[in-house]
Amino acid sequence: MSADRINLLRTKVFDKSKWMQLPRDVVIGHDVIEQIPAVCEDLALGDSVLIVSGGQTRDIAGKKVEALLAGSYDVATFAANDGDPLETIRKAEAAAAEAGFVIGVGGGRVIDTAKIASYNTDRHFISVPTAASHDGIASSRASVPTAEGNVSLAAEPPIAVVADTAVIASAPHRLLASGCADIIANYTAILDWELSHRLRGEPLSEYALTLSRMTAEILFKNADLIKPHSEESAWLVTKALVSSGVAMSIAGSSRPGSGGEHKFSHALEKLAPGKGLHGEKCGIGAIITMYLHGGDWEGIRDSLKKIGAPTTPAGIGVDDETAVAALLAARTIRPERFTILDMGLTEESARDLVKMLYRE
Ligand SMILES: NC(=O)C1=CN([C@@H]2O[C@H](COP(=O)(O)OP(=O)(O)OC[C@H]3O[C@@H](n4cnc5c(N)ncnc54)[C@H](O)[C@@H]3O)[C@@H](O)[C@H]2O)C=CC1
Ligand SMILES: O=C(CO)COP(=O)(O)O
Ligand SMILES: [Zn+2]
């Protein structure tokens, strides 16, 4: 190797720098919500806390967290309502600026609101999921709906995750199944990432990719064990969701967990707002994108079925024509994120795919 080439490689190696932020304390298990005061004390985050939760999730666990901390901290609360997400985030930021640290208690929307507000006000954030419905529990990204479709924003990765399996197992099974589908979608997200790497030279993180794939594999292999209202299932899925979020934090983007199937899901959210949960739509999308990649699409469909997640647009109250429109509109969502759906899918093919792959 010439001296010039060696110097070039050296420069490349020494120029490289990356900052990954990962959770410090991850506490998962039965009744661990009781350990929140100990976690806060261990991390020495300050004297005042903002607890962000939703209308329903405040009753499910938010009030409990408020009561547990009331003796030792100055506690303020914020309700992440169903209104305009950007407006909610702005208000949450104003509230976070008055507190020493932030705790998000709820589903994906609440946790995203709390983690963006924390990031923008430079506050530490603790993630307390009430459902294993999404892999944003531990990630450093937030997915926020806008008029142009969901955008992926930088967000505060949780310094701690406290996931109480008793709370999570009590949630409707649909939420757990949706979280499983969000993880199973990692398979196709990774294939899209590799495609973009080969075709466009997009940088790839081997570690993030491997962790994301391994997480999907563990869940895929254990699909038979995922049962409604079982704490063991809640434990298995929550661990996978944390691991998938860590993969995103390693990558510094949602790439390891979000490809064409997510663009399809975001397009559906625009075309049929409120129909289906996030993970449900991603799982349905992954059936088609896996087929387009030439992979085991039937395996994806069958594991979703086993877990109890929907496998057709009809399963979430969406008609086939809307699914076709979402497949075609996927390319308009985050066009810089190249996926198999950005390779010239025609309307005729989209219609054929929907007819062929979405049969009960
Ligand atoms: N930041 C990231 O990396 C990621 C973010 N997301 C985002 O997360 C959101 C999806 O999260 P979801 O949790 O599916 O939606 P969500 O936050 O809207 O929650 C769905 C419903 O479940 C209810 N719920 C939560 N816990 C419950 C419990 N224990 N019992 C009964 N009901 C309960 C909520 O009140 C809500 O009505 C989307 O906005 C999505 O974009 C999804 C994946 C990754
Ligand atoms: O949902 C995600 C990973 O599961 C990430 O969300 P985005 O598709 O908005 O990046
Ligand atoms: Zn997702």
Side-chain angles (χ1 to χ4, degrees), residues 96-102 115 117-125 156-157:
E98 303 296 317
F101 64 104
V102 177
K115 67 159 76 148
S118 305
Y119 183 82
N120 291 342
T121 54
D122 202 16
R123 299 291 187 268
H124 279 300
F125 161 62
E156 188 68 24

Side-chain angles (χ1 to χ4, degrees), residues 23-261:
R24 198 167 110 185
D25 292 352
V26 177
V27 189
I28 305 176
H30 181 74
D31 281 351
V32 296
I33 203 163
E34 306 280 351
Q35 293 177 37
I36 287 184
V39 170
C40 294
E41 197 183 330
D42 176 50
L43 296 168
L45 302 176
D47 302 327
S48 61
V49 57
L50 177 72
I51 300 175
V52 179
S53 54
Q56 216 182 338
T57 49
R58 182 163 182 234
D59 286 338
I60 290 163
K63 283 180 182 164
K64 170 103 186 183
V65 179
E66 289 163 35
L68 283 164
L69 296 178
S72 317
Y73 296 86
D74 187 0
V75 175
T77 59
F78 180 83
N81 294 319
D82 290 336
D84 172 45
L86 292 174
E87 181 64 11
T88 305
I89 289 167
R90 200 189 54 73
K91 288 182 182 160
E93 274 170 23
E98 303 296 317
F101 64 104
V102 177
I103 301 182
V105 186
R109 211 173 39 80
V110 164
I111 285 180
D112 274 357
T113 303
K115 67 159 76 148
I116 300 183
S118 305
Y119 183 82
N120 291 342
T121 54
D122 202 16
R123 299 291 187 268
H124 279 300
F125 161 62
I126 297 179
S127 176
V128 183
T130 54
S133 49
H134 63 99
D135 61 5
I137 289 172
S139 76
S140 59
R141 309 296 302 178
S143 184
V144 179
T146 69
E148 288 74 42
N150 274 56
V151 289
S152 178
L153 301 179
E156 188 68 24
I159 190 160
V161 176
V162 181
D164 191 321
T165 48
V167 173
I168 290 168
S170 305
H173 178 65
R174 185 182 170 197
L175 291 168
L176 189 86
S178 182
C180 294
D182 206 14
I183 293 170
I184 287 171
N186 287 7
Y187 276 125
T188 47
I190 289 164
L191 290 174
D192 281 327
W193 198 6
E194 287 174 328
L195 179 73
S196 176
H197 175 67
R198 286 196 293 268
L199 222 58
R200 302 238 164 148
E202 183 180 338
L204 201 72
S205 159
E206 205 66 47
Y207 282 99
L209 188 143
T210 306
L211 181 58
S212 176
R213 183 194 291 121
M214 186 192 78
T215 306
E217 271 166 11
I218 290 175
L219 205 80
F220 193 77
K221 269 194 279 179
N222 289 301
D224 285 328
L225 303 178
I226 310 296
K227 301 284 177 224
H229 308 299
S230 137
E231 274 200 68
E232 209 178 335
S233 300
W235 166 265
L236 186 80
V237 179
T238 305
K239 277 200 302 183
L241 293 168
V242 169
S243 159
S244 189
V246 166
M248 290 191 251
S249 296
I250 292 173
S253 90
S254 60
R255 240 324 182 176
S258 169
E261 74 301 315

Side-chain angles (χ1 to χ4, degrees), residues 266-302:
H266 300 323
L268 257 189
E269 184 56 36
K270 270 178 77 182
L271 295 169
K275 299 270 185 186
L277 293 167
H278 167 81
E280 292 176 336
K281 288 178 283 197
C282 296
I284 293 168
I287 294 173
I288 282 193
T289 57
M290 187 54 106
Y291 175 84
L292 290 173
H293 275 291
D296 180 15
W297 66 274
E298 285 154 312
I300 299 264
R301 182 198 58 193
D302 295 347

